[in-house]
C-alpha cells in the first residue's frame, strides 16, 4: 500500500492552507466496528455511530480488508440491487471485477476507482477474478456510498472508470505528504471523478512525523478515516489510528499529523479525507436503496421484486427472469 506513488513528491504541485484560515475543530473520533460483507470478506464500518448530520451527503463507507487471502479464499458479493445513490469502489491492493445488468462494469486494480451512479436502479455484482481466487493474494480497498439529491435519484445509471494513473497528485510544502485527489478539487486542483453532489475525496500518505494543513471549503463537511498507521487530527492533536474516523467542525482548513514513530509494517499514516456539500433532504435508507421517504423505498423494493431494475445476464448461469431465490 498504496499503488500510486511518486519517487520525489517535491516535483508535484504543493498545497497548503493560507495563514488566515480558520482551523476546523475535531468534534469526535469514532472506532469502526468490524464485520463481514457479501460472501464473507472482512470490512470495517467507518461511519458506524456517527450522526448523519455530520456525514451528509455521505451515507456509509467500508474499508475492505486489508487481508492476505490463501488460494481459494478470495470473496466478493453476489448479484444485488441499488437505487438512489452512487457507489465509489477504490482498490488500493488487489483486483475486483464489476458487472451490472445494464452491460456496464470492468476490472479495477491497484489505485483504480469505479464510480457507479445507480440512479433509477440496476443489479450489480463485485467479485475477484478467477485467477485471484485460484492464486490468493493481498486485497485492500474502500467502498463509499454518496447520496443523490431528490432531483437526481431516478437518473439513468452511469459508470466512471478512474484509473490510478489519472488521479491528481499533490504534495505539501515540505513534500512530507502525497495527496491523491480522486474526486472534486483541492486548492484549485481538480480530480478526475465527476460528481452530482459536490464532494472532495482524497487518499493521503503522510511520512512519519509529517503534517498537512489543507484548505477546506467552508460549505463542506470534513471527515478523516485512517486506513493504516497512527497520528493526530486538528489543532488539539486528537489521537487517531487505524480504523478510526475523525469528524471535523466548521472552518476553512483541516489538519492531520503522522506520529513520528510508526509500526514497522506500516511506515506511513494512510488517511482518506472526505468533504461534501450537505444535501439536507429527508433520507430513507434500507439495505441497497437510499430514497427520500418510505413510499419511495417501498416502490424501490417492489420494482426490484418485479424485475424492473434489470435482469442478471445469462452468461453468469442465471435465467433472464432476474435474481433467483
Amino acid at each position: 500500500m498504496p499503488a500510486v506513488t511518486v519517487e520525489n513528491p517535491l516535483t508535484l504541485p504543493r498545497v497548503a492552507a493560507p495563514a488566515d484560515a480558520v482551523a476546523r475543530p475535531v468534534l469526535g473520533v469514532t472506532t469502526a466496528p468490524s464485520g463481514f460483507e457479501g460472501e464473507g470478506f472482512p470490512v470495517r464500518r467507518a461511519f458506524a455511530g456517527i450522526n448523519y448530520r455530520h456525514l451528509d451527503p455521505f451515507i456509509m463507507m467500508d474499508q475492505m480488508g486489508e487481508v492476505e487471502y490463501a488460494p481459494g479464499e478470495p470473496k466478493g458479493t453476489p448479484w444485488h440491487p441499488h437505487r438512489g445513490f452512487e457507489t465509489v469502489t477504490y482498490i488500493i491492493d488487489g483486483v475486483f471485477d464489476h458487472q451490472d445488468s445494464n452491460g456496464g462494469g470492468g476490472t479495477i486494480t491497484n489505485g483504480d476507482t469505479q464510480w457507479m451512479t445507480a440512479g433509477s436502479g440496476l443489479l450489480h455484482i463485485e467479485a475477484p477474478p478467477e485467477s485471484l481466487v485460484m492464486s490468493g493474494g493481498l486485497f485492500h480497498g474502500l467502498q463509499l456510498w454518496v447520496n443523490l439529491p431528490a432531483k437526481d435519484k431516478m437518473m439513468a445509471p452511469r459508470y466512471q472508470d478512474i484509473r490510478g494513473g489519472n488521479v491528481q497528485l499533490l504534495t505539501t510544502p515540505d513534500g512530507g505528504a502525497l495527496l491523491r485527489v480522486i474526486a472534486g478539487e483541492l486548492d484549485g486542483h481538480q480530480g478526475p471523478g465527476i460528481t452530482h453532489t459536490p464532494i472532495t475525496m482524497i487518499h493521503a500518505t503522510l511520512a512519519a512525523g509529517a503534517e498537512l494543513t489543507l484548505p477546506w471549503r467552508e460549505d463542506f463537511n470534513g471527515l478523516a478515516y485512517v486506513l493504516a498507521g497512527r497520528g493526530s487530527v486538528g489543532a488539539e492533536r486528537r489521537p487517531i489510528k487505524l480504523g478510526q474516523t475523525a469528524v471535523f467542525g466548521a472552518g476553512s482548513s483541516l489538519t492531520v499529523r503522522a506520529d513520528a514513530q510508526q509500526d514497522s509494517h506500516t511506515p506511513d499514516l494512510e488517511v482518506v479525507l472526505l468533504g461534501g456539500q450537505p444535501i439536507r433532504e429527508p433520507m430513507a435508507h434500507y439495505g441497497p436503496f437510499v430514497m427520500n421517504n418510505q413510499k419511495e423505498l417501498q416502490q424501490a423494493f417492489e420494482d426490484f421484486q418485479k424485475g424492473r431494475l434489470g435482469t442478471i445476464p445469462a452468461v453468469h448461469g442465471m435465467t433472464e427472469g432476474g435474481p433467483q431465490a
Side-chain angles (χ1 to χ4, degrees):
M1 187 215 297
V4 181
T5 60
V6 294
E7 188 170 330
N8 181 9
L10 290 174
T11 62
L12 301 172
R14 306 178 198 187
V15 295
D20 61 352
V22 178
R24 287 175 173 249
V26 177
L27 301 182
V29 173
T30 62
T31 299
S34 298
F36 293 91
E37 187 56 76
E39 295 171 339
F41 60 83
V43 298
R44 287 187 174 93
R45 310 287 192 192
F47 296 161
I50 300 174
N51 191 296
Y52 181 65
R53 73 177 183 274
H54 299 309
L55 299 176
D56 185 11
F58 307 110
I59 301 164
M60 58 148 276
M61 186 169 72
D62 284 347
Q63 180 181 8
M64 306 180 293
E66 181 175 7
V67 58
E68 184 77 42
Y69 283 120
E73 285 187 345
K75 298 175 175 68
T77 65
W79 284 95
H80 56 281
H82 287 306
R83 173 181 280 181
F85 65 103
E86 301 183 284
T87 66
V88 182
T89 306
Y90 173 49
I91 298 300
I92 301 167
D93 292 295
V95 187
F96 232 24
D97 286 339
H98 289 241
Q99 187 180 11
D100 75 21
S101 53
N102 286 352
T107 299
I108 52 176
T109 186
N110 305 338
D112 296 340
T113 301
Q114 185 178 80
W115 203 292
M116 186 185 80
T117 304
S120 60
L122 43 64
L123 305 180
H124 183 227
I125 189 171
E126 303 159 299
E130 186 62 28
S131 59
L132 181 62
V133 175
M134 296 296 291
S135 66
L138 183 62
F139 181 79
H140 190 198
L142 284 177
Q143 186 166 97
L144 172 70
W145 288 14
V146 185
N147 202 3
L148 288 170
K151 65 182 181 64
D152 293 328
K153 281 194 178 294
M154 296 300 286
M155 68 177 293
R158 182 185 70 177
Y159 270 104
Q160 298 174 71
D161 282 309
I162 303 169
R163 297 300 158 185
N166 293 332
V167 301
Q168 174 70 62
L169 299 180
L170 306 168
T171 191
T172 46
D174 64 358
L178 175 63
L179 309 173
R180 304 164 192 83
V181 184
I182 297 168
E185 66 88 28
L186 179 65
D187 199 27
H189 301 278
Q190 189 72 38
I194 300 169
T195 69
H196 293 280
T197 304
I199 73 164
T200 295
M201 180 180 182
I202 297 167
H203 173 194
T205 300
L206 284 75
E211 175 181 316
L212 61 82
T213 298
L214 301 179
W216 211 251
R217 279 180 51 168
E218 292 187 65
D219 60 336
F220 277 20
N221 59 2
L223 302 161
Y225 175 75
V226 177
L227 293 165
R230 59 179 182 267
S232 62
V233 286
E236 56 269 55
R237 296 180 177 265
R238 183 81 174 265
I240 194 169
K241 62 182 180 180
L242 167 65
Q244 292 188 321
T245 302
V247 177
F248 291 91
S252 56
S253 71
L254 57 79
T255 297
V256 179
R257 300 174 188 81
D259 284 356
Q261 298 294 323
Q262 301 285 338
D263 296 333
S264 59
H265 65 281
T266 308
D268 303 310
L269 174 66
E270 304 284 350
V271 61
V272 174
L273 302 172
L274 295 169
Q277 191 173 69
I279 296 173
R280 296 193 176 96
E281 293 177 349
M283 184 182 71
H285 170 208
Y286 189 83
F289 305 124
V290 183
M291 306 305 292
N292 289 104
N293 55 57
Q294 290 298 315
K295 183 178 179 181
E296 292 173 349
L297 205 56
Q298 291 167 2
Q299 186 64 55
F301 274 102
E302 180 181 328
D303 289 348
F304 168 55
Q305 291 165 352
K306 292 186 176 180
R308 296 172 185 153
L309 269 60
T311 57
I312 295 172
V315 70
H316 279 263
M318 307 294 281
T319 69
E320 292 293 328
Q324 305 299 296

